[in-house]
Amino acid sequence: MRFLTFTAPGESSPRVGLLNAQQQVIDLTQVAGKPPFDPRDLLSLIAAGDEALAWARKVAASSGQAALDPAKLRLLAPIPRPRKNVFCVGWNYLEHFAEGEKNRAAKVDYPAHPVFFSKAVTAVMGPYDPIPVDATLTTTLDWEAEFGVVIGKGGINIKEADAMNHVFGYTVINDVSARDIQRRHGGQWFKGKSLDGTCPMGPHIVTRDELDPASLGIMCRVNGVTKQDSNTSYMYFKLPRLIAELSLGLTLEPGDVISTGTPPGVGSGRTPPEYLKAGDVVETEIAGIGVLRNVVCG
Ligand code: ZN
């Protein structure tokens, strides 16, 4: 199943939708019968677990549900405000680690464990929202196409063998990064990656049963020119390892989001470096999930 969060024309409050076989949106607030979750909040659906999925599956299978044209709706991030910062993984594609070498002051060995950092929840925005760029804050805004994983069943100290049972589904994320801010503050990966509007997400979440994450194309295009073109099969630390290590002594909750790292082809790794400017159109795609399309606005 594919879930999304949207607002209806003329409204501002979010609703949860389910895509039907015709790629039309079934508004879960309008389905007859009380759902076992709040149909205005995808976090609530995710937290309700199997019961919610069974209810949604019945809705998807029943004919005659009124459906909306997604082109007429404003899509928000599937989870407009996660419970926690979006967890991110640095350097999870070897070629991306290598392309960053020239920007590092000292030689760094490839880490033996995943490198984690996070993006502020206020950075999250919808799949077609504009990416704001303020030239007084940053002149080196960069793209990072990433495969996003949404936690279903929460847990702590999750074992690798059990990790995939804790996944709700998958989505597309761009970990938009202000490189100058990233470097100015001691090379950390928080401040430079947490500006408002630097975490476009969506367009929906595909449930785990529908998609094999082992080998999915991952692409980023800027103004129609392909900048990143890779595959999730090149992820160094795979999902079970990421979930196991992240959850060591740290409780993962339903709806937590993990962005699993970017492949090579980011702007700062290019010669000469390339950065986003007002008017640029950034398209971020994961095969089998969908495409984010964000215009940079100054
Ligand atoms: Zn990233």
Side-chain angles (χ1 to χ4, degrees):
M1 286 182 290
R2 290 168 182 258
F3 293 102
L4 51 89
T5 298
F6 68 97
T7 56
E11 287 191 11
S12 59
S13 55
R15 302 171 180 215
V16 176
L18 172 62
L19 278 190
N20 66 16
Q22 290 75 39
Q23 303 300 304
Q24 301 274 301
V25 176
I26 300 171
D27 178 347
L28 296 188
T29 70
Q30 300 299 306
V31 173
K34 192 173 157 27
F37 57 89
D38 178 355
R40 295 163 301 177
D41 182 5
L42 190 49
L43 277 178
S44 161
L45 183 154
I46 294 169
D50 290 343
E51 196 188 353
L53 286 174
W55 185 89
R57 217 165 260 127
K58 246 185 242 166
V59 169
S62 67
S63 56
Q65 297 286 354
L68 307 165
D69 177 359
K72 297 202 169 102
L73 308 172
R74 176 169 176 233
L75 268 56
L76 310 181
I79 301 173
R81 192 178 176 98
R83 292 178 209 276
K84 297 190 184 80
N85 283 6
V86 173
F87 293 111
C88 298
V89 182
W91 296 338
N92 205 21
Y93 290 76
L94 291 175
E95 284 180 284
H96 172 61
F97 175 76
E99 76 180 345
E101 202 130 53
K102 65 184 168 73
N103 294 321
R104 292 195 279 272
K107 184 156 169 36
V108 179
D109 289 331
Y110 195 77
H113 299 268
V115 175
F116 294 116
F117 62 97
S118 74
K119 288 174 89 73
V121 290
T122 38
V124 173
M125 67 167 187
Y128 313 123
D129 287 347
I131 299 169
V133 61
D134 178 346
T136 65
L137 288 181
T138 176
T139 54
T140 55
L141 202 64
D142 201 351
W143 56 83
E144 293 195 356
E146 306 206 1
F147 178 60
V149 178
V150 180
I151 295 295
K153 186 170 54 145
I156 184 168
N157 302 324
I158 297 166
K159 298 279 177 282
E160 272 190 56
D162 189 36
M164 296 311 287
N165 294 326
H166 290 260
V167 171
F168 177 80
Y170 308 107
T171 193
V172 185
I173 288 173
N174 199 310
D175 173 19
V176 178
S177 304
R179 302 296 183 199
D180 39 10
I181 300 176
Q182 185 178 327
R183 290 179 193 127
R184 190 197 307 154
H185 296 270
Q188 48 63 50
W189 291 346
F190 173 71
K191 176 66 185 166
K193 286 169 172 277
S194 286
L195 300 183
D196 288 7
T198 56
C199 190
M201 187 189 297
H204 36 245
I205 295 173
V206 181
T207 50
R208 165 170 56 106
D209 56 308
E210 285 213 2
L211 199 65
D212 178 359
S215 178
L216 301 171
I218 174 167
M219 283 76 69
C220 184
R221 295 178 290 275
V222 179
N223 301 327
V225 178
T226 298
K227 301 295 184 184
Q228 295 183 284
D229 185 2
S230 187
N231 192 288
T232 56
S233 61
Y234 297 119
M235 278 172 51
Y236 187 82
F237 296 110
K238 309 294 186 199
L239 302 187
R241 176 83 185 272
L242 293 175
I243 292 168
E245 290 227 27
L246 182 59
S247 71
L248 277 178
L250 186 163
T251 300
L252 292 178
E253 298 169 291
D256 282 349
V257 180
I258 307 170
S259 199
T260 57
T262 201
V266 300
S268 58
R270 291 170 172 269
T271 309
E274 297 171 25
Y275 297 107
L276 295 169
K277 56 187 186 312
D280 286 345
V281 179
V282 183
E283 289 172 298
T284 313
E285 178 171 7
I286 306 276
I289 306 180
V291 183
L292 312 176
R293 188 176 187 280
N294 307 94
V295 179
V296 180
C297 285

